[in-house]
Amino acid sequence: MRKIFIIALLLVQCLDYAQENNSLKLWYNQPSASTWENALPIGNGFLGAMVYGNVAHEIIQLNENTVWSGGPNRNDNPAAFAALPKIQKLIFEGKHKEAEKLANEAFISKKSHGQTFQTVGNLNLTFEGQENCSNYRRELDIEKAITKTTYVVYGITYTREAFVSFADRVIVIHLTASKKGSISFTADYTSPHKIKNFKVSNSKDLEISGSTSDHEGVASLIKFKGITRIQLNKGKLEQTENSLTVKGANSAILFISIATNFNNYQDVSGNENQRALDYLNKASGKSYESLKKAHIVGYQKYFNRVKLDLGTTQEANLPTDERLKNFRNTNDPQFVALYYQYGRYLLISSSQPGGQPANLQGIWNNNLNPAWDSKYTININAEMNYWPAEKTNLSELHAPFLQMVKDLSETGKETAKRMYGARGWMAHHNTDIWRTTGAVDGAFWGLWTAGGGWTSQHLWEHYLYTGDKEFLASIYPALKGAALFYVDFLVKHPKYNWLVVNPGNSPENAPQAHNGSSLDAGTTMDTQIVSDVFNTTIRAAQILNEDFTLIDTLKQMRSQLAPMHIGKYNQLQEWLDDIDDPKDNHRHVSHLYGLFPSNQISAYKTPELFAASKNTLLQRGDVSTGWSMGWKINWWAKLQDGNHAYSLIKNQLTPLGVNKGGGGTYNNLFDAHPPFQIDGNFGCTSGITEMLVQSSDGAIHLLPALPDVWKNGSISGIRVRGGFEIVSMEWKAGKLINIAVKSALGGNLRLRLPNTMKEKSGADLVIAKGENPNPFYFVNETAEPIISKESNIKALELRPTILVDINTVKGKTYTFETK
């Protein structure tokens, strides 16, 4: 009996080990070779690294979040204000191309078009005699934020582990072998920077120092320092002028510290040498196990908050690249859960309080001149990076982006004044670490004035989720400033008499009727953003008991904004005039901002606009670039069509090159625009959450867009507006079985249920009546749309739901189960 018990115990432990090691891991049976997009990302919000997993010639590509080209600068065009009236007149007269030509001269920056996020370089590890190996495996454990590579050479099993510590600001690499004295390798740096220096210090530290690039007339002021220290168990450490060689060690720990002189966007007076050394000295000397334990604790305090189970099939046993190749043709629900959690992993790893926000590539980039400079493109991409932050219980990680918005609310004041003669602040479609706010790239893309308006809504969203009134007071000047810009900038349309944005555009798209020009007055997205800016400023001022005169002004101007229009093709019009092409498959569908991330278009309050949004998406089509598919998942979730949302997930989780004319996913599960843009990863994680829970339309809507393939499942730890947390939620056969909700703030809990439920005590739930009295669920009224006479738009048929109210007390958890 005792033997049977021991065997059973070992079997259970093996099963637990297998589950632990496969369900939340990316793993492969071949190395990355020279392909960066096959390498595995690790980071702690300050440092990033890509681990290739090569056997004989390992590469650890290095990033630090403040290694950017240039230095403090402004890029406003002072000629803009004088040209503004003429450009507005040309647009109102329908001379869009002439307006764009003038705008290119008077509005687009004659200085920097934005600085570039740059790599530090590579740490190279060369292992002689290990060209041929067997039993190879590499993995990224996203439950612990650790990469691991194992292989066998001449009967010896070699293991490498690497992580970027959440407890100590260093990268840690641990090399071990199954036979003592088997660890031998050479370490050196390489870097593409022009100004660089490699050396070994007197204390046998391997060092890289250098400066980032001058770029577009802006001189580099960033200096960086990297130090690698090797701690051995036995063996010898030898040095040359610029390399270290380890011979015959039992094991080795490599500590990599990187720092710059960057203090903030105005100040680069830090001491990169002392910083790098201080980080290194603090960490080195500690045992590997203590470093690893502290790192896991620091990481898991974020990651472990949310769990998602959509079921598992045999497909989950395959390597990650094979699962990706097979996904569109197989049933692999656990792959969706893995990808969902990978999005959370990437945000935790690239955005930490006190650091820079995640950029177009998060914190991972191996170039000096990456695509689009890896900047912050704020006409969608940077915002999309942070869509998962609040809802997937990573609220603190929103902080770097929120701080950037506060910075922009300062730098953007001069842009508003010099270029538009307006109060408040504004930003165009791009910014960088120096918080520039001028118009860049060309009028077709750059003359978009809503960057400040859109980013400011993240400040309000953080308040809606947390209820932090002190935070609201601290960011109110930024909300108010975004509104004041539009108070001064809006002009009356001579034909329609509505207040409109002019010049404006619908990002990166142009109607045929404008002869290829994107510029227009009163585009739908511009007006939607102005509406949100006015609404949130009014609400914030009322909560804080501030600015009564401004509230009246904003209410009056809000009533004069152009309403949304439904056109002759039953579409939501992208422009004020009915000039949409139903065959336009452009990747940006910016006018659906009102559906998501905004809540101006509602299934229950604006049925015609809701139906028109669906028609617009059908006309645009599914296949598009990676990030665009990520946005579309959120839209189809809001349209309560889980099966269509799931079809977009299948498109996104497809190897690059399969979707003709569209994006997909690289083998390391990075989103492919192409090239790599991280926003698609974050957008999809947000969309999966929206399929399961929504809280933007006056209630917490449970299972609003559950696809048929996810008949059974559970999720725990996600958050919704008003300080509520979904402690647990389970469904079977598509039916909600039980749910527990914790209330951090108290107040009315309004649930929109897919089926009847009762309190755990057995009591019936109270059917909701009227508007939700919880102030965090207040929804502003959307103006009635203007519908084309040629339209025959009809409201969509929605699945029946049950709306119930529960009065909650701060700190208590409420449990419900199916009847």
Side-chain angles (χ1 to χ4, degrees), residues 746-760:
N748 188 61
L749 170 64
R750 176 166 290 185
L751 300 175
R752 186 177 291 279
L753 303 169
N755 50 266
T756 56
M757 302 195 79
K758 62 183 179 180
E759 291 189 31
K760 191 175 182 180

Side-chain angles (χ1 to χ4, degrees), residues 735-799:
K735 184 177 180 180
L736 190 59
I737 299 299
N738 58 67
I739 179 170
V741 182
K742 184 176 182 179
S743 175
L745 302 174
N748 188 61
L749 170 64
R750 176 166 290 185
L751 300 175
R752 186 177 291 279
L753 303 169
N755 50 266
T756 56
M757 302 195 79
K758 62 183 179 180
E759 291 189 31
K760 191 175 182 180
S761 64
D764 288 336
L765 297 174
V766 177
I767 299 299
K769 294 180 181 178
E771 294 298 315
N772 190 343
N774 189 322
F776 294 100
Y777 283 82
F778 175 84
V779 179
N780 289 283
E781 191 172 326
T782 299
E784 286 290 323
I786 292 179
I787 303 175
S788 168
K789 293 179 181 178
E790 299 177 58
S791 168
N792 60 356
I793 194 78
K794 293 181 181 178
L796 301 178
E797 190 172 324
L798 302 173
R799 290 192 191 92

Side-chain angles (χ1 to χ4, degrees), residues 201-360:
S201 70
N202 293 333
S203 56
K204 290 190 176 181
D205 288 337
L206 180 63
E207 298 183 354
I208 176 175
S209 58
S211 299
T212 60
S213 307
D214 301 341
H215 186 64
E216 295 181 341
V218 181
S220 169
L221 294 178
I222 291 291
K223 297 176 182 178
F224 61 85
K225 180 64 169 286
I227 311 175
T228 295
R229 181 174 295 171
I230 302 177
Q231 181 177 305
L232 297 181
N233 177 0
K234 304 297 183 180
K236 293 181 180 180
L237 182 62
E238 300 176 353
Q239 68 183 76
T240 67
E241 187 177 341
N242 54 18
S243 69
L244 292 174
T245 297
V246 171
K247 292 184 176 179
N250 294 341
S251 64
I253 307 173
L254 285 71
F255 300 87
I256 309 168
S257 172
I258 310 171
T260 76
N261 60 332
F262 179 93
N263 290 333
N264 58 55
Y265 69 92
Q266 298 169 298
D267 180 3
V268 290
S269 64
N271 185 329
E272 71 282 4
N273 298 301
Q274 192 61 49
R275 282 176 176 169
L277 190 60
D278 287 346
Y279 296 144
L280 187 66
N281 286 338
K282 183 181 175 183
S284 65
K286 296 179 182 179
S287 72
Y288 179 69
E289 288 307 316
S290 66
L291 289 162
K292 181 177 176 181
K293 181 178 179 181
H295 159 70
I296 292 172
V297 169
Y299 169 74
Q300 288 187 340
K301 76 175 183 180
Y302 300 113
F303 184 80
N304 284 356
R305 292 172 182 174
V306 172
K307 290 181 170 49
L308 174 63
D309 182 2
L310 298 173
T312 303
T313 63
Q314 288 298 315
E315 294 293 323
N317 296 323
L318 295 173
T320 301
D321 50 342
E322 292 184 35
R323 295 175 76 182
L324 177 67
K325 186 172 74 172
N326 298 340
F327 181 71
R328 66 193 183 279
N329 299 317
T330 58
N331 180 28
D332 189 358
Q334 200 279 325
F335 197 48
V336 177
L338 175 67
Y339 190 71
Y340 175 86
Q341 292 286 26
Y342 186 55
R344 296 183 67 247
Y345 165 83
L346 292 174
L347 188 59
I348 297 167
S349 302
S350 62
S351 180
Q352 285 287 314
Q356 294 300 308
N359 60 50
L360 271 177

